[in-house]
Amino acid sequence: MKIDMHAHILPPKLPDWKSQFGYGGFVNLEHVAPGKAHMMIDGTFFRAIEENCWNPAKQLEDCDRNGVDVQVVCTVPVMFCYWAKPKDGAAVARFLNDHIATVVSYNPKRFVALGTLPLQDPDLAIAELEYCVKQLGLPGVQIGSHVNDWNLYEPILFPVFEAARDLGACILVHPWDMVGKEKMPKYWLPWLVGMPAETSLAICSLIFGGVLERLPGLRICFAHGGGAFPATIGRIEHGFKVRPDLCAVDNPVNPREYLKRIYFDTIVHDPLMLRYLITLVGAERLMLGSDYPFPLGEHCPGSLIESLDDISQEQKEQMLWKTALEWLNLPLSRFKD
Amino acid sequence: MKIDMHAHILPPKLPDWKSQFGYGGFVNLEHVAPGKAHMMIDGTFFRAIEENCWNPAKQLEDCDRNGVDVQVVCTVPVMFCYWAKPKDGAAVARFLNDHIATVVSYNPKRFVALGTLPLQDPDLAIAELEYCVKQLGLPGVQIGSHVNDWNLYEPILFPVFEAARDLGACILVHPWDMVGKEKMPKYWLPWLVGMPAETSLAICSLIFGGVLERLPGLRICFAHGGGAFPATIGRIEHGFKVRPDLCAVDNPVNPREYLKRIYFDTIVHDPLMLRYLITLVGAERLMLGSDYPFPLGEHCPGSLIESLDDISQEQKEQMLWKTALEWLNLPLSRFKD
């Protein structure tokens, strides 16, 4: 059994939001050849994608080839549109959520979906979260690592996390709009250096801001093995201890404590680093994610976990599917007769 | 034997550079009580320091207490002044270098010093590097992780690295002016999240820009265990492999290869992470650093190395002093009769 809890999907067609809302910045899809499309923003090329990014049947073919039983899909972070006017951001989120629910309907034993929220307006975000959970039956949502100028500790966002806790919705925090990207114009460095920093910033924000402390029931996962956070927990903890006047102002708890409360995917591309993570947080905090269908992901989902020869079969199963079921709060019976 | 290769020192008094140069931004020291001073920038408080930041006798007292035989000192990164006019930056660097040479003279068996360069003007930087090595007898320099808007891959900086190689000067790359600092105003996050990212950015810049490839003889060390780089080498290598069109444009060599060529200090504050580093790069790439006298450093230098019970005495000695001698290219006889 394999559950890939970190995969992306788009609708095959996107509305002309620029015309609809009267301003630009939104992604559009131009289908340029059979099975090939370009994500365009205001006529400028953003990224080339293939059918495996919008066709559930194609995604399942790949899942079958790779032995993935269940794929947990969510949108591509560039679709968050937190910068848009709130009602427009809410319309985008609604379109994406209604679409992604149809992916689940296409094969509910193989697909689980995470919703999208217009976090630039926390009230609208909470309403959309309720819609996702109560109307669409989604187990949770994907959110960005920050929202425009707000880090995740901003009090204005707290009610959204509180609503997720109350609704039992899980959260996947995905890096996007990478911190310092303007300082790293070459060599794909926003993805290689910025994303790990962005994720560490998100985790530290939720810890030092006291969000995780106030919401112990929140089931929250961070992409790409938690980025730079797990490897720098020593530095972060040491900073907390030596400068509590700077670090412990809103939460007096040692940041290391939260390693037991948060989840990470296993997209670290390195057996030594995955072993480090297993020793640091335990297999019960780790779950197979692949970042499918993007090239920076694990192309055969789960192969890194399976390659480790010095962990138990139980630990492997925990990471390959059991942790994901706990995080999603879904029973195995949904997927297996 | 213990060599602490990452410690900081300032002159006890700094010139009034603002008056001298006719514009502000420079650090001044206000001695506010016996053994206590404030680093001030244009009248604004920057950081409180104590006598262990400017008095070599006091530093040696601490070294004696902690069993440190040799301390390698360099300036505090805020003194780099890369933003200043070139000739003024050069004057600041000269003042700091002439001072730090007196620290070595104070006790050449206990102190080694790294110089400071006005990198905003590579020609002046090379001249100052020659002065440091040939006139002052310093074994190398400390540089910042970037220079204003230049990452370390910028061709304009290459001759400085080349000169260091030619002169046999070692380099310590220290994070400063942290990437994305404006996005992390709370909880000391520029130091906890920004610095590890900054160091990864510097390493990736030197790798992908081909600087390390073109200068295999360069002896270069990165602070704080290499920041986020060693833990994300899997992601960085994977990015290099899947998007060579973005990553391999200036250097076709797998970034993992450079783990064998660069040095890291051991300031990671976590035994599990230090073990990860030892397994990843080997003790011959790692050396005791403490960040003395600052609170984010290791307060008893070497205690983390000594605490590891599953590595050999040989590995410990390698990290406690042997690697540092190789990086500095200094004989043991300089310190021991």
Side-chain angles (χ1 to χ4, degrees), chain A residues 87-116:
Chain A
K87 70 174 178 39
D88 301 334
V92 170
R94 178 60 57 95
F95 179 85
L96 295 171
N97 292 332
D98 283 340
H99 164 264
I100 213 162
T102 68
V103 176
V104 179
S105 307
Y106 174 79
N107 193 332
K109 285 195 181 306
R110 304 294 300 275
F111 284 116
V112 174
L114 302 175
T116 301

Side-chain angles (χ1 to χ4, degrees), chain B residues 173-188:
Chain B
V173 180
H174 201 292
W176 86 300
D177 181 32
M178 279 70 88
V179 63
K181 60 185 186 301
E182 66 287 351
K183 302 268 188 182
M184 34 186 105
K186 296 178 85 167
Y187 311 128
W188 217 16

Side-chain angles (χ1 to χ4, degrees), chain B residues 18 21 81 165 228 234 244 262:
Chain B
K18 185 173 182 175
F21 300 143
C81 301
R165 192 270 316 267
I262 59 182

Side-chain angles (χ1 to χ4, degrees), chain A residues 197-216:
Chain A
E198 189 62 36
T199 302
S200 186
L201 177 59
I203 299 174
C204 286
S205 293
L206 289 169
I207 289 175
F208 289 118
V211 178
L212 297 182
E213 184 56 26
R214 292 166 69 191
L215 299 173

Side-chain angles (χ1 to χ4, degrees), chain B residues 114-140:
Chain B
L114 302 175
T116 301
L117 303 180
L119 284 170
Q120 61 269 57
D121 185 314
D123 289 337
L124 292 177
I126 291 170
E128 191 63 23
L129 176 60
E130 287 182 353
Y131 178 79
C132 286
V133 172
K134 294 181 178 173
Q135 301 299 314
L136 300 179
L138 308 187

Side-chain angles (χ1 to χ4, degrees), chain A residues 151 153 183 186-188 191 195 208-209 224 231 234-235 238 242-243 246 250 256 269-270 273 295-297, chain B residues 151 153 183 186-188 191 195 208-209 224 231 234-235 238 242-243 246 250 256 269-270 295-297:
Chain A
N151 281 318
Y153 54 65
K183 303 267 188 182
K186 297 180 85 168
Y187 311 127
W188 217 16
W191 272 257
M195 276 195 165
F208 289 118
H224 313 137
R235 182 176 180 85
H238 186 71
V242 298
R243 292 301 301 268
L246 298 174
D250 291 326
R256 190 177 287 270
H269 299 293
D270 187 274
M273 192 60 207
L296 248 180
Chain B
N151 282 318
Y153 53 66
K183 302 268 188 182
K186 296 178 85 167
Y187 311 128
W188 217 16
W191 273 257
M195 276 195 165
F208 289 118
H224 312 136
R235 181 176 181 85
H238 187 70
V242 298
R243 291 302 301 270
L246 298 174
D250 291 326
R256 190 178 287 271
H269 300 293
D270 187 273
L296 248 179

Side-chain angles (χ1 to χ4, degrees), chain A:
Chain A
M1 178 81 174
K2 276 192 204 173
I3 300 177
D4 175 0
M5 54 62 63
H6 179 171
H8 298 284
I9 195 169
L10 289 173
K13 287 187 181 178
L14 295 172
D16 181 358
W17 283 314
K18 185 174 182 174
S19 299
Q20 190 176 325
F21 301 143
Y23 56 99
F26 301 92
V27 171
N28 219 316
L29 279 187
E30 280 183 12
H31 288 267
V32 292
K36 295 191 183 298
H38 289 173
M39 298 175 77
M40 306 290 289
I41 298 177
D42 297 341
T44 300
F45 175 82
F46 173 72
R47 187 185 292 175
I49 58 173
E50 302 190 356
E51 198 174 353
N52 57 14
C53 202
W54 70 77
N55 183 344
K58 177 74 183 148
Q59 303 209 197
L60 284 186
E61 273 175 35
D62 287 344
C63 285
D64 288 343
R65 191 171 49 251
N66 291 318
V68 171
D69 298 277
V70 180
Q71 197 177 51
V72 182
V73 290
C74 56
T75 197
V76 182
V78 70
M79 304 302 295
F80 289 153
C81 299
Y82 296 149
W83 49 269
K85 291 178 192 170
K87 70 174 178 39
D88 301 334
V92 170
R94 178 60 57 95
F95 179 85
L96 295 171
N97 292 332
D98 283 340
H99 164 264
I100 213 162
T102 68
V103 176
V104 179
S105 307
Y106 174 79
N107 193 332
K109 285 195 181 306
R110 304 294 300 275
F111 284 116
V112 174
L114 302 175
T116 301
L117 303 180
L119 283 171
Q120 62 268 60
D121 186 314
D123 289 338
L124 292 177
I126 292 170
E128 192 63 23
L129 176 61
E130 288 182 351
Y131 178 80
C132 286
V133 172
K134 294 180 178 174
Q135 301 300 313
L136 301 179
L138 308 187
V141 290
Q142 175 193 218
I143 67 169
S145 45
H146 67 269
V147 180
N148 304 323
D149 289 335
W150 302 334
N151 281 318
L152 297 184
Y153 54 65
E154 287 295 337
I156 196 170
L157 289 170
F158 186 77
V160 182
F161 292 108
E162 195 171 36
R165 193 271 315 267
D166 293 345
L167 289 161
C170 64
I171 296 177
L172 169 62
V173 179
H174 201 293
W176 87 302
D177 182 31
M178 279 70 87
V179 63
K181 60 185 185 300
E182 66 287 350
K183 303 267 188 182
M184 33 186 106
K186 297 180 85 168
Y187 311 127
W188 217 16
L189 296 181
W191 272 257
L192 305 183
V193 173
M195 276 195 165
E198 189 62 36
T199 302
S200 186
L201 177 59
I203 299 174
C204 286
S205 293
L206 289 169
I207 289 175
F208 289 118
V211 178
L212 297 182
E213 184 56 26
R214 292 166 69 191
L215 299 173
L218 195 64
R219 303 193 314 283
I220 190 159
C221 175
F222 299 87
H224 313 137
F229 179 83
T232 50
I233 182 61
R235 182 176 180 85
I236 292 163
E237 179 187 35
H238 186 71
F240 168 85
K241 285 179 178 174
V242 298
R243 292 301 301 268
D245 57 313
L246 298 174
C247 300
V249 287
D250 291 326
N251 180 13
V253 180
N254 185 327
R256 190 177 287 270
E257 290 298 309
Y258 299 94
L259 291 174
K260 304 173 202 156
R261 297 207 205 160
I262 59 183
Y263 296 87
F264 306 101
D265 72 28
T266 56
I267 312 175
V268 294
H269 299 293
D270 187 274
L272 192 61
M273 192 60 207
L274 182 54
R275 268 188 214 106
Y276 170 86
L277 277 176
I278 294 168
T279 310
L280 185 71
V281 304
E284 61 279 9
R285 301 279 112 206
L286 297 169
M287 41 192 172
L288 165 57
S290 74
D291 229 339
Y292 178 95
F294 296 119
L296 248 180
E298 185 176 34
H299 299 177
C300 179
S303 56
L304 179 62
I305 293 170
E306 290 169 327
S307 76
L308 296 190
D309 52 16
D310 51 357
I311 62 169
S312 67
Q313 189 58 31
E314 200 177 324
Q315 285 175 301
K316 289 186 186 181
E317 287 182 15
Q318 186 69 41
M319 292 186 282
L320 289 171
W321 61 275
K322 287 185 180 173
T323 305
L325 285 186
E326 290 166 24
W327 174 64
L328 292 164
N329 194 29
L330 291 175
L332 181 59
S333 59
R334 162 146 172 202
F335 310 105
K336 293 271 187 192
D337 293 319

